[in-house]
Amino acid sequence: MVREESFRVQSSWADKPFCYRAPYPEGALTPYEFQLAGAEYCLARKHALIGDEPGLGKTCQTILISNAIEAKSTLVICPASLRLNWEREIWKWSTIENVQTYPVLKSKDGVHLKSNYLIISYDLLRNPSLLSALLSKTWDHLILDEAHLLKDPKGNKRTKTICAEDGLRNVVGRMTLATGTILPNQPIECYNAIRLLDWDAIDRMSIESFRRHYYAEGGGWIRGPHKVKDKKTKEWVTVNEVRWSEHVRNVPQNLGELQERLRTNIMVRRLTKEVLKELPSSRWHMFPLITNTAIKKALKHPGWGDAEKMYQMDPNGFSGAIPIEGAVSTARRLLGEAKALSIVAYVKDLMNSGVQKLVIGAWHHSVLDILRQNLVQFGLTYMDGRTSPINKQLAVDNFQQDNEISIILGQMLPLGEGWNLHSAQDVVLAEPDWVPGKNEQLLRRILRIGQKGRSLIGHVPLIPDTLEEKIVRRAIEKDITIYKTLDERER
Amino acid sequence: MPEITYTFTAESFQDLKDQMEAEYATLFPPVDDVHSRLEDHIIAENEKAEAKEEKKEEKPPRRRRATTEALKEEKPARKRGRPKKEPAPPPPAPEEGKEPVEVTAADGVKAATEGAEKLGPGMILQILEEDFKVKNVSELDPQQLREFVETIKFEMPN
């Protein structure tokens, strides 16, 4: 039986505002109707989460909310690489005349509490002096960009700084979270966000109750102290290692109900294909690499044996998120290095076939170095975790505006968050991630407002008939399951 | 020298007096008449002046330069031919110990959403269009916003 959607759930899908248009600066820029609808949804609630698919302009919507509530002081917390990007967006969308923005780039810069928008990274929140300064005043609006960074169910320092009773939540009038991937891997990852925004939305469940309600028991790998019988001494000893258990709550259930709770109470989320119909479709293209001697050697590393055992025991639960030993990481790095030259050859073919702009992502510095040295001839900009925020912004600007620069190469994490790289139509995942959601993030950098291409392709290099191929295929398929949790709609 | 004595009777004295006044009147015109004409003239002049003043009072007072700004503010309303708004009624006196809570756009949107959930979106749009002659909550001024929120609260069951 198809249940009728309530108005609140319908408004979480809205592509145009119902009865309120948030103010925006008069001029050449006009927000999309669905962006105004997003701001309206959030205003109707005390706190809210903008969970639109990546590329739909969440930053703009959060600033529209500040405009609507006439916020005089807004605190923006975002990944370090996006601070300058945020500043630009504020200049573009804020209705405050001569708006004062203050991005905190270094801890020694201190904070400027009288600015209209103070922009700080999650990492700098760990600085006690900066944090106490931020806690010393009341903020009209707190914006948490890429809010899936609060996902850690155990509560890391970053999460506690914001979510604790005496944390930043205590000194803000309104909170808006923005992330296109609120569930990078598992439903439990949205618990902190729900609890922060509206705990009543899940009937004030504890994290254990949440786990019991949304996960059924299944087998899986766990790490922790447990007792084993020593074969030689025949005595029970406590060891701390990864082991298999049949009583791990890891089979998601009741996902439809979770989605309804999210959409009714805190989350507005629209899909690109529904609100930006003019954007092209995107697809993954797996391309096989020829197995050369270097690749064969890398595949003989013992780490692959360990990964193979884990995968055989639990193919569905296997992902980069499970506890894995260091040997597996080494094996992945060695394989990445061995594949690098084959990927260079593939990229050269792409460029010679007429591709104008290309985004390439990889994980390991050694792999990035090989790619950088061999592709510099096409005009290349670069970023990794060590690149300063200013140089990251410069790399993106050069790639977007300079016709002489055809490739932007970077580490998956800094390159995959927040940037607008719509001048390209192709992405190459030189080292695809095993965690679902991360690969999608990189592809979404090009599937954004302003994209004029007809078809977007994510190229994934794979060595046929290997474990890596199985894992990556499954990770990309798993993306589909996650998006079903958030987006499957009964009509 | 013998003393001459004149004896006047009352009647003779009155005749003599009348005779003397008649002679005096021919020699000098009566002063009272002159006074009365002068007075008439002055009174007439005063009346004219008063009449002028009254006419001046009937005309609208000439605007001073200092009111230019006020005139500018009124101009668009005259051009569009809007009827002059009646002065807004004084705000209700706050209860003792309580300040009136400001109704924000967010309150309006929240009320509209709650109303749409319970009454249907069509009803909310109807209230906006019929009662307030607008299509968006963002077009309401603070007073109207308050009335809008109160209207929805009134319309909602429970």
Side-chain angles (χ1 to χ4, degrees):
Chain A
M1 183 182 145
V2 177
R3 205 145 49 89
E4 198 176 327
E5 275 180 354
S6 69
F7 178 80
R8 284 167 175 268
V9 174
Q10 280 173 11
S11 61
S12 77
W13 293 95
D15 57 359
K16 61 183 176 200
F18 164 55
C19 69
Y20 179 77
R21 299 176 73 82
Y24 54 88
E26 290 176 12
L29 286 166
T30 308
Y32 283 89
E33 290 291 297
F34 75 85
Q35 289 176 318
L36 290 167
E40 184 188 30
Y41 176 96
C42 296
L43 272 185
R45 285 140 183 93
K46 184 161 171 52
H47 310 298
L49 160 71
I50 302 175
D52 288 342
E53 278 195 308
L56 292 184
K58 292 182 283 294
T59 309
C60 160
Q61 294 178 55
T62 55
I63 300 167
L64 289 178
I65 296 165
S66 271
N67 293 346
I69 61 170
E70 296 175 11
K72 290 184 176 62
S73 60
T74 301
L75 176 62
V76 179
I77 304 175
C78 62
S81 58
L82 299 179
R83 282 169 291 184
L84 297 179
N85 193 48
W86 255 98
E87 190 175 34
R88 285 186 186 188
E89 291 289 319
I90 292 162
W91 292 341
K92 215 189 279 181
W93 293 110
S94 175
T95 46
I96 300 174
E97 206 169 327
N98 299 323
V99 60
Q100 290 183 349
T101 52
Y102 187 82
V104 186
L105 298 179
K106 294 173 195 163
S107 54
K108 66 179 178 185
D109 290 349
V111 292
H112 190 280
L113 295 176
K114 287 187 179 173
S115 57
N116 301 121
Y117 283 83
L118 194 138
I119 308 158
I120 192 167
S121 68
Y122 287 99
D123 298 334
L124 285 180
L125 279 185
R126 283 184 287 194
N127 182 304
S129 308
L130 291 181
L131 181 61
S132 64
L134 295 177
L135 287 168
S136 68
K137 72 168 279 189
T138 305
W139 300 87
D140 295 332
H141 191 195
L142 169 66
I143 299 171
L144 297 168
D145 193 17
E146 304 293 352
H148 55 267
L149 293 173
L150 301 178
K151 69 180 181 180
D152 186 2
K154 290 173 193 162
N156 54 19
K157 195 167 182 183
R158 173 201 294 146
T159 312
K160 282 176 184 162
T161 306
I162 296 162
C163 303
E165 287 298 322
D166 57 348
L168 276 171
R169 63 183 292 183
N170 212 27
V171 293
V172 296
R174 172 181 285 274
M175 282 184 282
T176 306
L177 275 59
T179 172
T181 49
I182 188 65
L183 304 178
N185 200 26
Q186 293 285 335
I188 193 84
E189 289 164 344
C190 67
Y191 176 80
N192 287 341
I194 303 175
R195 184 161 170 167
L196 181 65
L197 297 177
D198 184 2
W199 199 6
D200 290 330
I202 49 170
D203 303 332
R204 296 191 163 247
M205 286 184 204
S206 68
I207 192 156
E208 280 313 312
S209 309
F210 187 91
R211 201 187 291 275
R212 276 197 298 275
H213 189 68
Y214 292 109
Y215 288 90
E217 276 192 356
W221 291 98
I222 54 170
R223 183 195 287 277
H226 69 115
K227 286 193 172 179
V228 291
K229 204 171 193 179
D230 194 305
K231 286 177 185 172
K232 288 180 186 171
T233 61
K234 305 288 182 190
E235 286 180 3
W236 288 93
V237 289
T238 303
V239 292
N240 190 5
E241 61 181 14
V242 177
R243 65 191 166 91
W244 180 261
S245 167
E246 291 294 340
H247 303 287
V248 180
R249 287 198 176 268
N250 60 1
V251 183
Q253 60 179 2
N254 301 327
L255 297 182
E257 184 223 342
L258 176 60
Q259 189 198 152
E260 189 178 344
R261 283 178 188 251
L262 283 168
R263 286 188 176 273
T264 304
N265 297 295
I266 57 166
M267 183 181 78
V268 55
R269 177 173 166 87
R270 281 71 54 90
L271 305 183
T272 311
K273 65 180 180 193
E274 291 192 354
V275 293
L276 280 181
K277 289 172 181 145
E278 67 271 22
L279 276 190
S281 59
S282 61
R283 64 189 170 89
W284 291 106
H285 169 58
M286 317 276 181
F287 67 89
L289 293 177
I290 296 166
T291 317
N292 57 27
T293 316
I295 291 175
K296 278 180 191 167
K297 195 176 169 187
L299 286 171
K300 282 180 184 166
H301 190 276
W304 289 111
D306 297 349
E308 183 83 43
K309 278 182 202 165
M310 289 181 186
Y311 184 82
Q312 280 175 1
M313 293 192 78
D314 182 22
N316 287 322
F318 189 89
S319 79
I322 65 160
I324 52 174
E325 300 297 342
V328 180
S329 299
T330 309
R332 291 179 71 186
R333 179 176 56 78
L334 292 174
L335 184 65
E337 290 169 7
K339 287 194 308 186
L341 285 175
S342 303
I343 291 165
V344 167
Y346 182 80
V347 169
K348 283 182 179 175
D349 286 347
L350 277 178
M351 300 308 288
N352 292 333
S353 67
V355 169
Q356 302 288 322
K357 297 267 185 184
L358 187 62
V359 180
I360 306 176
W363 269 106
H364 296 101
H365 287 292
S366 54
V367 178
L368 286 163
D369 288 344
I370 298 170
L371 296 172
R372 195 176 180 181
Q373 283 163 15
N374 289 280
L375 296 171
V376 72
Q377 67 211 58
F378 294 103
L380 183 143
T381 57
Y382 177 82
M383 73 163 78
D384 61 24
R386 299 171 298 193
T387 312
S388 71
I390 292 172
N391 286 337
K392 280 177 191 160
Q393 184 69 55
L394 202 62
V396 170
D397 290 347
N398 287 340
F399 177 72
Q400 286 285 92
Q401 292 157 15
D402 191 343
N403 290 333
E404 299 293 315
I405 291 173
S406 302
I407 294 174
I408 184 164
L409 170 68
Q411 233 172 352
M412 291 281 277
L413 206 59
L415 189 61
E417 283 180 341
W419 303 111
N420 189 344
L421 303 173
H422 63 67
S423 65
Q425 282 90 47
D426 293 84
V427 169
V428 174
L429 297 176
E431 286 183 286
D433 205 301
W434 292 3
V435 181
K438 294 274 176 66
N439 300 313
E440 186 73 18
Q441 275 270 31
L442 195 62
L443 185 62
R444 295 279 171 176
R445 295 309 101 209
I446 62 172
L447 183 62
R448 298 183 82 83
I449 295 169
Q451 175 58 259
K452 288 175 183 153
R454 288 181 181 176
S455 169
L456 310 182
I457 303 173
H459 304 261
V460 187
L462 292 171
I463 303 154
D465 303 324
T466 58
L467 177 64
E468 197 201 38
E469 186 198 7
K470 291 177 197 165
I471 295 168
V472 172
R473 274 189 193 280
R474 195 170 283 274
I476 287 172
E477 283 164 11
K478 206 169 176 181
D479 274 344
I480 298 162
T481 315
I482 288 167
Y483 281 91
K484 268 187 181 175
T485 309
L486 294 173
D487 308 325
E488 199 168 51
R489 193 178 188 186
E490 290 178 349
R491 290 168 195 271
Chain B
M1 191 171 141
E3 187 177 353
I4 302 169
T5 309
Y6 295 95
T7 307
F8 294 98
T9 60
E11 287 172 358
S12 63
F13 181 75
Q14 185 61 40
D15 291 342
L16 181 65
K17 192 184 169 185
D18 291 344
Q19 191 182 344
M20 283 174 71
E21 278 182 356
E23 285 173 1
Y24 188 84
T26 54
L27 290 173
F28 303 100
V31 178
D32 290 345
D33 287 350
V34 175
H35 278 199
S36 66
R37 281 203 302 274
L38 189 61
E39 279 173 7
D40 287 346
H41 176 72
I42 291 167
I43 288 166
E45 287 296 317
N46 284 344
E47 280 174 356
K48 280 180 188 175
E50 280 174 10
K52 274 185 183 177
E53 279 177 9
E54 279 173 11
K55 281 181 184 176
K56 277 182 187 174
E57 282 172 7
E58 281 173 13
K59 281 183 184 176
R62 186 172 287 172
R63 289 185 176 97
R64 291 176 296 170
R65 285 186 182 180
T67 59
T68 319
E69 285 180 13
L71 282 174
K72 279 180 185 172
E73 285 172 7
E74 285 176 15
K75 265 184 183 174
R78 283 210 307 271
K79 274 183 185 173
R80 290 174 202 159
R82 283 184 197 159
K84 269 193 173 178
K85 279 187 181 176
E86 287 181 13
E95 290 176 42
E96 278 183 22
K98 279 186 182 178
E99 287 185 5
V101 182
E102 192 187 346
V103 178
T104 61
D107 296 326
V109 178
K110 197 172 180 183
T113 305
E114 283 172 5
E117 181 83 14
K118 290 181 179 166
L119 306 169
M123 179 76 171
I124 303 303
L125 295 176
Q126 197 181 338
I127 290 172
L128 277 172
E129 283 176 16
E130 289 182 2
D131 294 9
F132 298 94
K133 316 288 181 210
V134 296
K135 287 182 177 174
N136 279 305
V137 173
S138 36
E139 294 169 45
L140 299 174
D141 63 35
Q143 180 64 26
Q144 288 176 315
L145 202 56
R146 182 184 293 277
E147 286 170 15
F148 173 69
V149 172
E150 281 167 6
T151 308
I152 290 180
K153 275 184 190 166
F154 177 77
E155 293 286 346
M156 276 204 292
N158 306 319

